[in-house]
Amino acid sequence: MTAAMPIPTTPPNSQTPQVIGIDLGGTAIKLGRFDANGRTLQSLTVPTPQPPEPDAVLEAIAAAIHTLDPDRQSLAVGIGTPGPVDETGRIALVAINLGWKHIPLADKLEANVNLPVVAANDANCAGLGESWLGAGQRYRDVLMLTLGTGVGGAVILDGKLFIGRQGTGAELGLITLDPSGETCNSGNHGSLEQLVSVQAIRRTTGMEPAELGQRAASGDAEAIAFWKTYGCDLGAGIANLIYIFTPEAVILGGGISASAPYFMPSLWDEIEKRVLPTSREGLQILTAELGNQAGMLGAARLAWQRLESENATPSSHPQSATATDVNLAYHMAMEAAEFNAGFLARTAHELRAPINGVIGLHQLILSDLCDSPEEEREFLTQAHQATVKMLGLLDEVIQVSKISLGKQRLKLQPVNLAGVMKTVHQSVRLYAQDRNARLNFLSIDPGLHVQADPNWLRQVLVHRLNHAIAQDKGSIIRVGIDVLPNQQVCLWVEDTCATKHWQEAIDWMETAMQTTPSP
């Protein structure tokens, strides 16, 4: 595989916060490093491995990221893929031209580059890029249609990407215009895509859009008539979308948009004929400005928004320090009570096994069921081992109670996090299997150490994971560690359980934060 050398666009500054935006295509992968203002610090293009097997493609992306950012200055990665992505921005549900289906894209790439990764449909990324720094940057509510081999779409509402339930919304090219029309890959008939895509143009005229544009420019009457009909079809489709979203602007991208001067007049005529003036007041129909950079920029914007959402803190809400302290104290008390209850319940369950073992072995001895003194000694040895295990568990209960009461200080010492996480995984693995939960422990630097009490740290992590596993059967739980610049480590747990399990606490906090405390 050959790769182009990275091309610096703006001199990188090691103090400049930056992210990586990636546009994954069937033939090429475009990558760029961008600062928070969208300036390109460096860019790189590498070929997409053929055949585009997921592991091969992700290895190529990881290698390109290391080439693009050898000093590991980037904070996150955004990636646009040719197909829908789930609502968490982690799983590529379908990528037809890559032959992918349900690929855990973000998980796999994070494991290779050790950076947070978020993914979205490539058309969504293009729309986000145009809304951020292109034709739509002056507007908050924007639709984008990419007029290419197919017709992709993006919906930006109040500056945020709208993806719909399960991440499969905003398929603007699949709306129906002619119920008896050509069959679409989606199974629909007469979709907008079947009337205004490159494939539709080829099927109707036997020519390429660029050739038809050139003929129209030279005054060819048939080409001019074609573009007039094309504008009517596209205008009818956009009219439907206007009634649903009432956007401030509609942006047209993709190769066909180069011929916009020839179909824009009939497109506007169709919109004015079909859409009430109140629904199109101030509407702008624009052509894209960022070209093939839109996908990368949109992916970078996606990464920035991911970081912004993760860094949002309650201090951004107008509230007094007193209200914040009360909320914090309440949730710390609830967390401590929940931990103690969960720990005691789990330990009591673990105590049952050695106790039952001791009782059973003694029963065999007392009933004279041993065949020989040697077998009796073997039973006594097993009973002794079970008793030692039981005492160890009781010592752990006593230790936890002393720490909770403040009567025993934590034994802080250098702790290897990789070893602790391995023990934690072994402790919760069977419970996760029983609950049909999928655990994903991200890779950890084997040399990473922190100051902590190893037993207490292990107990807290096991409790937190057991709580997440218990919430919803079949959930996906990710566990990872972020090394922060202030010589601290952030251990995090992310799960996919239904929001109803957390709603009470969320509602309580929001209510409390909005309430002004009395003197």
Side-chain angles (χ1 to χ4, degrees), residues 12 62 121 231 286 455 476:
N121 174 273
L286 309 167
N455 291 328
I476 301 173

Side-chain angles (χ1 to χ4, degrees), residues 107-127:
D107 289 349
K108 285 178 174 288
L109 191 54
E110 281 181 355
N112 285 337
V113 300
N114 198 28
L115 285 172
V117 177
V118 59
N121 174 273
D122 53 2
N124 285 341
C125 286

Side-chain angles (χ1 to χ4, degrees), residues 417-495:
L417 274 181
V420 170
M421 297 303 281
K422 182 178 180 180
T423 304
V424 169
H425 183 267
Q426 292 172 345
S427 300
V428 301
R429 177 174 53 83
L430 292 178
Y431 183 40
Q433 290 177 359
D434 182 60
R435 297 284 299 175
N436 195 28
R438 181 159 68 87
L439 290 174
N440 182 8
F441 280 67
L442 301 186
S443 60
I444 302 171
D445 182 356
L448 185 60
H449 287 71
V450 295
Q451 281 290 111
D453 183 312
N455 291 328
W456 185 245
L457 178 60
R458 175 181 58 80
Q459 292 160 6
V460 169
L461 290 174
V462 168
H463 159 70
R464 171 51 55 207
L465 284 170
N466 279 338
H467 177 78
I469 293 167
Q471 296 307 310
D472 202 0
K473 277 195 172 183
S475 60
I476 301 173
I477 299 170
R478 300 173 62 250
V479 184
I481 293 177
D482 292 335
V483 180
L484 305 180
N486 56 357
Q487 292 188 324
Q488 292 184 339
V489 170
C490 173
L491 292 87
W492 51 266
V493 178
E494 177 183 275
D495 65 62

Side-chain angles (χ1 to χ4, degrees), residues 28-353:
I29 306 167
K30 296 188 285 289
L31 307 91
R33 276 198 294 139
F34 301 90
D35 66 12
N37 296 317
R39 288 185 304 168
T40 305
L41 304 177
Q42 205 166 11
S43 62
L44 172 67
T45 299
V46 298
T48 304
Q50 301 299 327
E53 296 293 336
D55 288 343
V57 171
L58 291 170
E59 286 177 9
I61 292 174
I65 288 174
H66 292 312
T67 300
L68 189 69
D69 186 16
D71 298 327
R72 302 177 62 84
Q73 299 179 54
S74 299
L75 303 175
V77 177
I79 180 169
T81 71
V85 175
D86 78 319
E87 71 274 19
T88 66
R90 309 201 62 78
I91 300 174
L93 299 176
V94 179
I96 295 175
N97 64 342
L98 296 177
W100 290 7
K101 189 173 183 180
H102 286 90
I103 302 299
L105 179 64
D107 289 349
K108 285 178 174 288
L109 191 54
E110 281 181 355
N112 285 337
V113 300
N114 198 28
L115 285 172
V117 177
V118 59
N121 174 273
D122 53 2
N124 285 341
C125 286
L128 198 57
E130 287 288 344
S131 177
W132 184 28
L133 295 171
Q137 60 184 304
R138 297 190 304 274
Y139 309 100
R140 299 291 296 171
D141 299 323
V142 176
L143 303 183
M144 182 169 180
L145 287 169
T146 54
L147 308 172
T149 305
V151 175
V155 177
I156 314 295
L157 300 177
D158 195 27
K160 301 291 185 181
L161 185 63
F162 170 78
I163 58 174
R165 187 171 63 88
Q166 298 182 345
T168 56
E171 291 288 352
L172 305 186
L174 301 184
I175 63 171
T176 302
L177 285 188
D178 180 7
S180 60
E182 296 288 336
T183 302
C184 181
N185 288 333
S186 67
N188 192 9
H189 294 273
S191 64
L192 178 62
E193 182 173 278
Q194 294 307 306
L195 291 173
V196 299
S197 65
V198 170
Q199 291 181 338
I201 293 174
R202 290 170 179 164
R203 185 176 60 246
T204 304
T205 68
M207 290 184 281
E208 297 295 319
E211 181 183 354
L212 285 163
Q214 293 170 357
R215 291 193 177 194
S218 64
D220 184 288
E222 290 185 4
I224 292 172
F226 166 80
W227 286 119
K228 182 178 180 180
T229 301
Y230 182 92
C232 291
D233 291 337
L234 182 57
I238 292 176
N240 291 334
L241 300 174
I242 291 172
Y243 273 127
I244 299 171
F245 297 106
T246 57
E248 298 172 90
V250 177
I251 301 173
L252 304 178
I256 299 176
S257 64
S259 297
Y262 312 117
F263 62 74
M264 194 69 81
S266 60
L267 183 154
W268 267 116
D269 288 344
E270 201 69 22
I271 289 175
E272 291 173 353
K273 180 172 65 177
R274 293 177 178 270
V275 181
L276 290 169
T278 52
S279 297
R280 54 178 166 85
E281 183 177 355
L283 176 69
Q284 301 292 314
I285 308 291
L286 309 167
T287 54
E289 296 177 355
L290 299 179
N292 60 11
Q293 300 295 304
M296 275 197 305
L297 277 164
R301 181 59 175 163
L302 201 66
W304 281 121
Q305 290 182 344
R306 162 77 179 269
L307 290 173
E308 289 166 4
S309 66
E310 289 181 348
N311 293 333
T313 61
S315 61
S316 62
H317 299 281
Q319 56 175 322
S320 69
T322 303
T324 303
D325 291 345
V326 170
N327 291 338
L328 180 60
Y330 170 83
H331 286 282
M332 287 178 66
M334 292 292 291
E335 185 71 18
E338 184 183 350
F339 169 77
N340 288 333
F343 172 78
L344 290 174
R346 186 176 66 255
T347 305
H349 181 75
E350 292 178 1
L351 280 168
R352 291 180 61 87

